[in-house]
Amino acid sequence: MAELQRKQIEQLMGRDHGSLVRRIDVDMTSPRVCRGFLVGTCPHDLFVGTKQDLGECPNLHLQKHKMEYEYRTKRLGERFPEIEYDYYKQLAQCVSDLDRNIHNAQLRLQHTPEEKEKIARVTKELDDLDVEIGLMVQELEFLIAKNQSCKVIEYSIELDKKCQQREKLSQQARKITENVGQTSQQKLQVCDGCGAYLSRLDNDRRLADHFVGKIHMGYLEVRRNFKETQQKCKTVRDLKPVVSF
C-alpha cells in the first residue's frame, strides 16, 4: 500500500520529488542550524517580548536537531568543536556588546547636561579673568616704568581685587569638579548584570523585581553560557579574542 502511494505521488509530482524532499531536509551540522539552539540557549529566545527583543533568529530552530545533538554528545560521546566554537563566538559578541553598554551607561552618569553647562561657564569666566589680569599687569609695569605712582596705586588695588575674584572663582570651579556626577550618582546606579539604570531611592520590592526580571535573568544566562562554552572550547583549541572591548 505504501509503495503504491509512493508511485502515485511520483506520478503527480515527478520522479525528482523524493530527491527534492531530501535536499530540503537540513542536516544538524549545517550552518543554517542555530548553534545556540543546539548547544545551549539562543540569545534571540531570551528577550522575547521585552525592550531588548532581538527579533526572530535567522537560523533554524528544529527540535529534532537539538534531540540529535544531545543524543550524539551525551549518549554516544561525540564532540562537535566547530559547532561549540561558533556558539562561543556568538556569545562573545553578546557579552562584548553588553559590557560596552554598561560602560557607556556609567559614563552618562558622570556628567549631566547641567553640570557640563556649569563647568563650561566657570571655565570661560576664568579664561576672561586671566586675560584681564594679564593686561592689567602689563599696564602696571608700564606705569611703574613711567613713575606714575598715583596710577600705580590705583591699578595695584584694582589688580588685587581681580586676583581675589579669580581665587574665589577658582575655588568654585574646584568644588564643581569635585562634586560632578554626585547628584545623578546619588539617585542612579548601573546594574552590573544587564546595564539597566537602578534608582537608589527604589524600595526593596522594586529592586527585587528587577533582579528576577526577564532581561536581567537573560543576560545572566548569556554570561553563564559564555563561561561554560569558553571552557569547552579551551579543551579543543586556544581561544583568540573574538571581540575586544
Side-chain angles (χ1 to χ4, degrees):
M1 183 66 181
E3 181 65 20
L4 178 61
Q5 289 178 337
R6 186 185 65 80
K7 290 181 178 180
Q8 288 175 343
I9 291 174
E10 285 184 356
Q11 290 175 354
L12 291 172
M13 303 294 295
R15 291 189 179 274
D16 290 336
H17 172 69
S19 60
L20 178 62
V21 172
R22 286 193 293 272
R23 286 198 298 269
I24 295 175
D25 189 17
V26 178
D27 186 76
M28 180 197 77
T29 58
S30 169
R32 293 175 55 193
V33 177
C34 177
R35 299 335 199 181
F37 180 74
L38 285 181
V39 183
T41 305
C42 175
H44 289 263
D45 292 338
L46 291 174
F47 307 105
V48 177
T50 72
K51 61 182 180 180
Q52 297 293 340
D53 196 326
L54 300 176
E56 185 177 354
C57 180
N59 296 315
L60 295 175
H61 286 207
L62 298 180
Q63 194 63 34
K64 67 174 184 177
H65 291 147
K66 191 174 185 69
M67 292 173 64
E68 179 184 354
Y69 176 81
E70 291 179 351
Y71 178 79
R72 293 174 66 177
T73 54
K74 296 179 181 178
R75 298 290 295 275
L76 302 181
E78 293 186 53
R79 290 297 306 273
F80 298 92
E82 294 301 326
I83 290 178
E84 292 174 354
Y85 189 65
D86 286 344
Y87 183 41
Y88 161 75
K89 290 190 291 184
Q90 182 185 26
L91 292 173
Q93 183 65 60
C94 291
V95 171
S96 177
D97 292 342
L98 174 59
D99 288 342
R100 185 180 300 106
N101 291 337
I102 291 174
H103 177 70
N104 291 337
Q106 291 171 338
L107 287 179
R108 284 193 291 270
L109 282 185
Q110 292 180 7
H111 301 290
T112 65
E114 293 78 11
E115 289 168 339
K116 289 180 180 178
E117 184 180 349
K118 287 180 181 179
I119 293 173
R121 184 177 65 251
V122 172
T123 301
K124 185 178 184 307
E125 290 178 3
L126 280 172
D127 290 341
D128 292 343
L129 269 177
D130 286 339
V131 172
E132 288 185 43
I133 291 172
L135 292 175
M136 291 182 70
V137 169
Q138 292 180 8
E139 183 67 20
L140 184 60
E141 291 175 349
F142 175 78
L143 293 174
I144 292 174
K146 293 293 185 179
N147 293 320
Q148 298 185 22
S149 55
C150 292
K151 289 188 176 182
V152 166
I153 294 174
E154 293 177 5
Y155 256 77
S156 296
I157 295 173
E158 189 65 26
L159 179 59
D160 185 61
K161 290 181 180 178
K162 288 290 182 182
C163 290
Q164 291 179 14
Q165 183 181 349
R166 191 196 183 285
E167 179 59 27
K168 291 181 180 179
L169 194 59
S170 179
Q171 292 178 359
Q172 182 182 349
R174 284 196 295 269
K175 185 176 180 180
I176 292 175
T177 304
E178 290 171 358
N179 295 331
V180 69
Q182 287 189 6
T183 302
S184 57
Q185 289 175 359
Q186 286 172 357
K187 297 179 181 178
L188 295 175
Q189 62 181 346
V190 179
C191 176
D192 292 334
C194 65
Y197 286 116
L198 301 178
S199 174
R200 299 176 188 271
L201 305 180
D202 283 344
N203 56 39
D204 293 341
R205 177 60 185 275
R206 289 195 63 180
L207 290 175
D209 288 342
H210 166 78
F211 290 120
V212 297
K214 192 171 185 178
I215 293 178
H216 183 83
M217 296 298 292
Y219 279 120
L220 290 185
E221 184 168 350
V222 167
R223 289 189 184 277
R224 182 170 60 252
N225 291 340
F226 172 68
K227 290 181 180 179
E228 291 176 356
T229 309
Q230 188 178 44
Q231 291 302 317
K232 287 182 181 179
C233 292
K234 281 182 177 179
T235 63
V236 179
R237 67 175 75 186
D238 292 328
L239 292 178
K240 297 179 180 179
V242 178
V243 180
S244 59
F245 170 62

